[in-house]
Amino acid sequence: MLKYTGYIRKIRYYSESSHYIVALLEVEEDQELLTMNGYMSNFNDYDKYAFYGDFEIHPKYGQQFKLDHYEIVLSTDEEEIIKYLSSPLFKGIGPTQAKYIVDALGENALSLIKEDKHHLDLVKGMTVAKRELIYEVLTSNDYDQEVTQFFMGHGISLRHIGIIQETYKEKTLEILQNHPYQLVEDIDGIGFKTADELALKTGGTLNNPDRLKAGVIYSIKQSCFSSGSTYVLYDEIKKAFHKIIYHIDDEVFDEYLNTLVEEGRVIKEGEYYYDEELYESEEIIANFLHKINDYPEEFYDENELERLLDNYQDKFGIVYSTKQKEAIEYFLKYPMMILTGGPGTGKTTVVKALIQIYRTLYPEDVISLVAPTGRAAKRLSELTGLDACTIHRELKWDLHKNSFAMNRNNPLSSQVLIIDEFSMVDSLLLSKLFDASRRVHKVLFIGDYHQLPSVAPGNVLKDFIESQLKVIELDEIYRQSKDSGIVQLAHQLIHQEVNDLSLFEQYKDIHFYNSTNFEIIKNVTTIVKKAIKNGYDQNDIQVLAPIYQGVAGINALNLALQEIFNPKNHQEEYRIGQKVYREGDKILQLKNRPDDDIYNGDIGVLVEINRKDGFEYLEDTLIVDYDGNLVEYTSKDFMTFTLAYCMSIHKAQGNEFKIVIMPVLNDYYIMLKRNLIYTGLTRAKQALFILGNPQAFLYGIKNISDSKRKTTLVNKINQNKNVETYEESSYNQELKQNITGFLNDDETV
């Protein structure tokens, strides 16, 4: 291993999250600047370092010094010490004061101060404040070095070091050395396998009690997230536990499960076992509903409301149905309501009207409009003319800390909360939103319960409906939509009235083409080329598929569609793994990036490819335009996006497109479920093309065999006798009959 001593002179690249650095070094052993890459934290231009590592040949950038570990070198040269102590690192310590320190303590001044800060008491003109400052600066990097060297010394990947240090701060080393399994509970994105690898590399044993407890907790969480449930049963935990820890018998497993229950880290109610956070999420949601239901009925001038409604109808040429008027009036009068309905039933019109009327009647109230995805929020904003944002943005989510700035102690200023695409909202996220909504006295939930439930645990919309919270379902198709085959097909699916493909022959906007797996790409590209000739572009056309691999999978379709929409011409292109990206490509974001205000499922366009030049761009950079929001991607981010010409139905939820093309094949067994097909086809606004096997399609729209998500939110909501419920009118009974199949149709993650 080689050693170089010197200074950092130029930072080419640095990641705050991972602490990865590429820098130019000025070293004593060489007259030329040295390019180094590795992991450092809290470095500066004034400290002298000893760098340890070896040279490597980078396939693109040539020879570089690969940093293994480093340490700060305390100079013993008196002139260097004076220069160092009078640097900007030590504010208020000038050359004169620095010379006094050297005169009093000599060439070993720096090491003496680190050894005991009271050595500075011997220095002329030294104050307590200056003494503390000097000592703090000299010792500030020690801990970071220890943490980094701990990782390196045990051969542990440094990719999580940033978020670990951010979480534990000065306790980082203690946690890593003594409680590594704590990472599983505290840090989102670190699973049992990562923590277990760290623990075993640092001397942990297979029978370590912390290991077995962490295994149990992880098994509960994993079972919940894989099933979408908020609790699990004993056999489910045990099965998941034995997949990661093989050698422990059931008696020992029982012992540790019961211990965790006694410690309150696992919640047990009857036969149900909960992750603590998921249990609390249901409690928070139920308590919020109990609280908001206590708000009194609001009284307003009914004549004024009638006048406002008449004016609105006249202005926009609308005649509201009885149910639409009921929705507007109920929203104004009562604290909470669920507005649901399939496509073409006028949800949009109702929401726009009730917001405008409410603002007229109550101009001082602050209204928060939120949605689970960026596209859904943008659509909500366009619809209402008001600012709308994602729930994460509203709560000011910090990705690195995995925490929300808006919370119980720092609540939102809003009095009214409107949540769109509510079927996509999970229990954990909703609890965070409700926790920060202490000032809210009115909530409107907007969603289509026939669509897919949330990816994360919970089935909140279903549970709210089953709890007999007020639901107004708009089921009358607007006149503008009566000629739409897309709307008619969706409603026939809702009422289980599709027995053959005859409906596709009655409407011009829905089409079914018999296709085998091997014909899908040819038929998709034929449809796309015709659409382009008719004036549509890549933003208008969306292909939806359920799987990534195979001849008709997402990857293969994206490759074929890229050659149509954005073939190789003279534009820049960039290879990432097996995929080639070109300027002009349609891009899908796969992970939340709250700092850049883009989220999982957002769609943009790759507008610029910039290769490392050492000046403006320190490393290869791709720039994607998300509706005017330009976001830069470097190597660490390259796996967080993909081509978006074809995407999954789950990713498309919350979006709408003029044309949707959707293969439905026997091989897509995971897709052959009604709520998935319904969600996919309702993404289309003007035209829908279904390609595949008729029998597969008919089987899928009748298939409601998904396992039911297990939640206890309904019980928690109804535990409070003061919660208002609603009489089972003939309408409500009919509603429950209509939705029974869909409410139990929950996509397993």
Side-chain angles (χ1 to χ4, degrees):
M1 185 173 295
L2 301 174
K3 174 186 176 184
Y4 287 95
T5 306
Y7 299 88
I8 296 172
R9 288 304 182 224
K10 186 176 182 179
I11 308 298
R12 290 188 178 274
Y13 171 76
Y14 184 67
S15 169
E16 293 286 349
S17 59
S18 68
H19 294 179
Y20 181 76
I21 186 174
V22 180
L24 292 180
L25 307 180
E26 180 186 323
V27 296
E28 296 174 344
E29 294 82 0
D30 202 329
Q31 297 299 313
E32 297 182 359
L33 293 178
L34 189 69
T35 301
M36 174 205 73
N37 70 81
Y39 294 87
M40 294 184 72
S41 57
N42 291 330
F43 49 84
N44 58 72
D45 297 337
Y46 304 100
D47 278 320
K48 181 189 283 189
Y49 298 91
F51 302 100
Y52 299 87
D54 288 295
F55 283 101
E56 64 174 13
I57 304 298
H58 192 281
K60 189 172 183 179
Y61 304 121
Q63 182 172 271
Q64 294 185 347
F65 184 74
K66 179 71 174 179
L67 181 66
D68 182 87
H69 64 280
Y70 67 97
E71 60 189 21
I72 293 177
V73 177
L74 299 178
S75 178
T76 57
D77 181 272
E78 293 187 357
E79 287 189 8
E80 283 189 4
I81 296 173
I82 293 172
K83 185 178 178 181
Y84 177 58
L85 290 174
S86 57
S87 74
L89 290 175
F90 302 87
K91 294 179 181 179
I93 310 297
T96 301
Q97 187 75 70
K99 189 173 186 309
Y100 289 157
I101 294 172
V102 171
D103 289 343
L105 303 179
E107 64 182 11
N108 294 318
L110 298 178
S111 57
L112 287 170
I113 296 168
K114 287 189 68 174
E115 180 186 307
D116 186 351
K117 61 186 175 182
H118 291 286
H119 280 114
L120 287 168
D121 296 341
L122 302 172
V123 177
K124 178 182 177 181
M126 185 59 58
T127 64
V128 173
K130 288 181 179 179
R131 182 190 72 195
E132 296 300 320
L133 170 68
I134 294 169
Y135 180 76
E136 184 181 340
V137 173
L138 286 175
T139 58
S140 62
N141 285 329
D142 290 356
Y143 198 81
D144 291 317
Q145 290 180 67
E146 288 179 30
V147 172
T148 303
Q149 290 174 19
F150 177 85
F151 272 75
M152 292 175 170
H154 293 93
I156 304 166
S157 170
L158 289 164
R159 64 191 178 100
H160 295 299
I161 190 173
I163 193 170
I164 292 173
Q165 284 191 285
E166 186 68 41
T167 302
Y168 299 119
K169 300 188 184 307
E170 71 277 358
K171 295 182 178 179
T172 299
L173 205 57
E174 179 193 346
I175 296 292
L176 292 173
Q177 291 174 327
N178 302 318
H179 308 286
Y181 294 103
Q182 192 67 35
L183 275 63
V184 180
E185 295 184 60
D186 295 343
I187 301 179
D188 190 38
I190 294 185
F192 179 82
K193 185 178 179 181
T194 300
D196 198 41
E197 179 186 6
L198 190 155
L200 295 176
K201 282 186 175 180
T202 55
T205 62
L206 294 176
N207 293 321
N208 184 326
D210 287 345
R211 180 175 190 256
L212 302 182
K213 287 181 180 180
V216 173
I217 291 172
Y218 180 76
S219 298
I220 294 172
K221 285 186 176 182
Q222 194 67 11
S223 297
C224 287
F225 275 83
S226 64
S227 66
S229 301
T230 56
Y231 72 85
V232 288
L233 302 175
Y234 171 83
D235 288 341
E236 294 171 317
I237 306 171
K238 187 169 71 172
K239 183 179 179 181
F241 178 83
H242 287 309
K243 282 185 178 180
I244 58 174
I245 298 178
Y246 317 97
H247 63 286
I248 300 298
D249 58 38
D250 289 350
E251 289 184 4
V252 176
F253 166 77
D254 290 344
E255 177 188 342
Y256 281 97
L257 176 59
N258 293 330
T259 299
L260 287 166
V261 172
E262 291 171 4
E263 293 174 354
R265 297 167 66 187
V266 172
I267 309 298
K268 184 175 186 290
E269 287 188 347
E271 297 180 347
Y272 303 161
Y273 292 87
Y274 300 81
D275 169 74
E276 186 179 6
E277 193 176 17
L278 285 171
Y279 180 85
E280 288 178 356
S281 73
E282 291 194 335
E283 292 282 312
I284 291 169
I285 293 169
N287 289 336
F288 177 86
L289 296 181
H290 296 160
K291 184 198 78 169
I292 203 168
N293 193 72
D294 289 336
Y295 281 99
E297 176 183 330
E298 294 189 37
F299 294 95
Y300 52 85
D301 188 332
E302 293 187 4
N303 292 326
E304 175 66 4
L305 173 60
E306 188 175 348
R307 185 186 69 80
L308 290 170
L309 276 171
D310 288 343
N311 289 344
Y312 197 87
Q313 290 181 120
D314 292 341
K315 183 178 180 179
F316 295 100
I318 297 170
V319 179
Y320 287 117
S321 68
T322 302
K323 280 186 183 177
Q324 289 175 321
K325 288 183 178 179
E326 180 191 356
I328 295 170
E329 292 170 359
Y330 195 94
F331 172 77
L332 296 173
K333 196 171 185 178
Y334 295 102
M336 57 184 168
M337 179 182 83
I338 300 169
L339 180 66
T340 187
T345 56
K347 291 197 303 294
T348 297
T349 305
V350 170
V351 172
K352 189 174 182 178
L354 66 80
I355 289 175
Q356 291 199 12
I357 291 171
Y358 186 89
R359 292 184 76 199
T360 302
L361 294 172
Y362 307 99
E364 300 301 319
D365 280 7
V366 178
I367 302 175
S368 281
L369 292 97
V370 297
T373 69
R375 279 293 178 101
K378 185 173 183 286
R379 196 173 69 246
L380 183 61
S381 182
E382 292 170 347
L383 156 68
T384 61
L386 301 175
D387 289 337
C389 63
T390 64
I391 297 173
H392 283 86
R393 185 183 176 190
E394 181 77 358
L395 296 176
K396 295 181 171 54
W397 181 49
D398 188 318
L399 173 65
H400 307 295
K401 296 180 181 179
N402 192 31
S403 62
F404 297 95
M406 311 308 293
N407 49 49
R408 183 177 306 175
N409 299 319
N410 184 31
L412 300 167
S413 60
S414 335
Q415 286 82 45
V416 180
L417 179 63
I418 297 176
I419 312 172
D420 198 11
E421 295 289 351
F422 191 61
S423 64
M424 300 174 64
V425 180
D426 61 86
S427 180
L428 285 170
L429 185 57
L430 185 62
S431 70
K432 300 298 183 184
L433 179 59
F434 280 176
D435 213 24
S437 300
R438 295 175 56 183
R439 298 187 175 101
V440 169
H441 62 78
K442 188 180 291 293
V443 187
L444 173 63
F445 308 101
I446 311 165
D448 185 347
Y449 56 77
H450 307 106
Q451 293 186 28
L452 293 166
S454 59
V455 175
N459 210 351
V460 182
L461 179 56
K462 165 189 175 295
D463 289 341
F464 280 14
I465 293 174
E466 284 196 351
S467 302
Q468 293 184 290
L469 301 184
K470 179 63 175 179
V471 181
I472 295 182
E473 182 178 34
L474 304 178
D475 54 2
E476 182 180 341
I477 300 174
Y478 250 152
R479 65 179 186 271
Q480 297 97 320
S481 301
K482 286 185 176 179
D483 295 330
S484 167
I486 299 167
V487 172
Q488 297 297 335
L489 178 61
H491 284 268
Q492 288 203 11
L493 258 66
I494 290 172
H495 298 293
Q496 306 178 44
E497 297 172 349
V498 181
N499 299 307
D500 53 42
L501 301 183
S502 58
L503 193 69
F504 289 91
E505 300 170 2
Q506 301 175 28
Y507 294 92
K508 295 180 179 180
D509 61 339
I510 56 174
H511 313 270
F512 195 105
Y513 295 110
N514 261 306
S515 300
T516 66
N517 284 24
F518 295 96
E519 293 173 326
I520 289 296
I521 287 182
K522 180 188 71 173
N523 291 339
V524 166
T525 54
T526 299
I527 294 168
V528 168
K529 288 176 181 177
K530 287 183 178 179
I532 292 172
K533 284 184 179 180
N534 289 326
Y536 294 95
D537 60 29
Q538 65 184 30
N539 296 317
D540 303 322
I541 307 167
Q542 188 59 57
V543 182
L544 303 177
I547 58 176
Y548 279 86
Q549 305 303 320
V551 294
I554 292 172
N555 291 337
L557 283 162
N558 264 323
L559 189 62
L561 292 166
Q562 184 187 42
E563 293 306 309
I564 297 174
F565 287 113
N566 194 28
K568 176 60 180 169
N569 195 359
H570 299 292
Q571 73 275 51
E572 284 283 335
E573 61 179 24
Y574 193 92
R575 179 176 292 277
I576 302 173
Q578 296 184 353
K579 295 179 182 176
V580 174
Y581 295 87
R582 297 172 186 143
E583 291 179 346
D585 273 336
K586 187 176 178 181
I587 298 296
L588 175 68
Q589 178 67 19
L590 301 174
K591 290 187 176 182
N592 292 332
R593 286 182 62 167
D595 293 346
D596 295 308
D597 196 27
I598 57 165
Y599 299 89
N600 188 355
D602 284 351
I603 300 171
V605 177
L606 177 58
V607 293
E608 205 172 325
I609 295 172
N610 298 291
R611 301 188 186 277
K612 176 182 174 182
D613 56 19
F615 298 97
E616 184 178 2
Y617 294 97
L618 303 179
E619 63 174 317
D620 294 350
T621 304
L622 278 59
I623 300 176
V624 179
D625 182 357
Y626 293 94
D627 296 323
N629 179 17
L630 298 179
V631 178
E632 292 189 358
Y633 294 84
T634 54
S635 57
K636 69 181 189 307
D637 309 310
F638 285 167
M639 302 311 292
T640 65
F641 64 83
T642 188
L643 293 172
Y645 303 109
C646 179
M647 68 173 74
S648 71
I649 294 173
H650 283 89
K651 294 291 187 187
Q653 196 168 359
N655 292 319
E656 290 183 337
F657 311 94
K658 291 180 180 179
I659 298 174
V660 167
I661 305 169
M662 189 165 61
V664 181
L665 302 162
N666 284 325
D667 287 359
Y668 291 169
Y669 63 92
I670 195 171
M671 186 182 182
L672 302 182
K673 296 166 184 175
R674 186 166 63 187
N675 59 355
L676 198 67
I677 294 175
Y678 175 88
T679 302
L681 69 89
T682 53
R683 300 309 91 203
K685 295 194 296 183
Q686 294 183 9
L688 169 71
F689 297 85
I690 296 179
L691 314 180
N693 184 286
Q695 286 72 37
F697 174 75
L698 293 171
Y699 169 80
I701 62 176
K702 295 182 184 299
N703 181 18
I704 56 170
S705 61
D706 289 341
S707 58
K708 184 178 179 180
R709 293 189 173 198
K710 300 187 294 290
T711 71
T712 48
L713 183 56
V714 175
N715 292 336
K716 286 180 166 59
I717 293 173
N718 292 334
Q719 276 173 0
N720 191 316
K721 295 180 181 179
N722 294 325
V723 175
E724 185 179 355
T725 57
Y726 302 89
E727 295 290 328
E728 290 268 350
S729 65
S730 58
Y731 163 70
N732 283 335
Q733 291 175 0
E734 183 183 350
L735 170 63
K736 288 185 72 175
Q737 290 173 358
N738 289 340
I739 70 175
T740 298
F742 283 97
L743 291 181
N744 293 323
D745 181 23
D746 302 315
E747 178 67 16
T748 301
V749 181

